[in-house]
Amino acid sequence: MLWRAALRLGPGARIVEIGSHQGRSTTVLGIAARSVGATVVAVDPFVEGRLFGGTPTRTLFEKNVARAGLTDVVQLEAEYSTKLRKRWNEPIDLLYIDGKHDYWTYTDDMLWSEHLAPGGEILVHDAFSSIGVTSGILVKVLCGKRYVYLDRAGSMARFRLAQPSWADRRRVLAEMPWFLRNVGIKVLLRLRLHAVARWFGHDSPYDPY
């Protein structure tokens, strides 16, 4: 989905990726961007600590981007997306959100869409497997007037900057059983009820998506 979205862009287009970590999705976007003459702005503060890895993670990100030959395509902004957004003044042609998954950060990251042209695409990771992100989708997409939910690949959801119809809103509601299933499996894994999780088709010790 990332690859195809980037390939739909044209020469001079700009992709903003929020949350890059070690650069796997950055590389996908970067290679596709290069083929159409676009560029990628990778936004990640590389927070120190066990969960995100801090400076060592940034080093891995830079090595992976260089190994893919994308140093002239990818521009790194080592900053919190919520802070950088307030001083950003450039147009965006594709927005990919995979940052902090709480409601407040996610809904703030959606405000980057103010720099998208009408009809521009927004991709969101963990859209229907994270309570914070899904809550933001219910408030800003289901009950809002700016975003249309198009489709998803796994938990990667695709939105368009446009006025939604009732049919568009119903597509969001149709994903709620799948979201509840994912959250339920996460709870079972926390309780170490792996056998019960397998009844729901989840045979991995890791969270779904």
Side-chain angles (χ1 to χ4, degrees):
M1 185 172 275
L2 286 173
W3 177 266
R4 291 176 178 175
L7 288 182
R8 284 191 286 271
L9 302 177
R14 180 184 289 111
I15 302 168
V16 167
E17 174 191 56
I18 296 174
S20 301
H21 198 52
Q22 295 182 15
R24 178 178 293 180
S25 58
T26 318
T27 300
V28 173
L29 290 169
I31 294 173
R34 163 165 280 164
S35 70
V36 296
T39 56
V40 179
V41 177
V43 182
D44 196 307
F46 297 103
V47 176
E48 299 291 343
R50 181 182 61 83
L51 185 59
F52 299 110
T55 301
T57 299
R58 175 173 179 171
T59 300
L60 284 172
F61 169 86
E62 292 172 339
K63 285 182 178 179
N64 290 333
V65 169
R67 186 179 297 117
L70 296 171
T71 53
D72 61 332
V73 176
V74 175
Q75 170 191 337
L76 173 61
E77 292 285 349
E79 175 65 282
Y80 287 96
S81 59
T82 51
K83 294 181 179 179
L84 181 61
R85 180 185 63 78
K86 294 176 181 178
R87 59 178 189 271
W88 185 269
N89 58 7
E90 300 291 337
I92 297 172
D93 300 282
L94 175 65
L95 175 62
Y96 172 45
I97 299 175
D98 188 19
K100 194 174 179 182
H101 286 9
D102 63 278
Y103 171 86
W104 297 273
T105 304
Y106 166 69
T107 52
D108 192 281
D109 285 342
M110 285 291 277
L111 294 177
W112 279 81
S113 64
E114 294 174 355
H115 301 284
L116 278 173
E121 289 188 347
I122 305 163
L123 301 180
V124 178
H125 193 231
D126 292 325
F128 297 107
S129 64
S130 165
I131 292 175
V133 175
T134 305
S135 297
I137 290 171
L138 291 175
V139 173
K140 300 300 182 180
V141 180
L142 177 64
C143 300
K145 299 180 180 180
R146 286 176 47 82
Y147 309 107
V148 169
Y149 170 54
L150 299 173
D151 51 18
R152 66 177 175 86
S155 68
M156 175 90 72
R158 187 167 64 105
F159 302 87
R160 177 170 291 138
L161 188 62
Q163 177 78 31
S165 66
W166 284 110
D168 298 323
R169 299 179 196 276
R170 284 195 296 269
R171 282 200 301 276
V172 176
L173 291 173
E175 300 291 359
M176 290 305 101
W178 193 72
F179 160 69
L180 293 173
R181 178 256 187 198
N182 287 336
V183 172
I185 287 174
K186 288 182 179 181
V187 172
L188 292 173
L189 295 181
R190 298 300 183 279
L191 296 175
R192 299 185 179 181
L193 297 174
H194 300 277
V196 179
R198 283 195 290 272
W199 293 350
F200 293 92
H202 188 77
D203 59 359
S204 169
Y206 303 105
D207 286 348
Y209 302 102

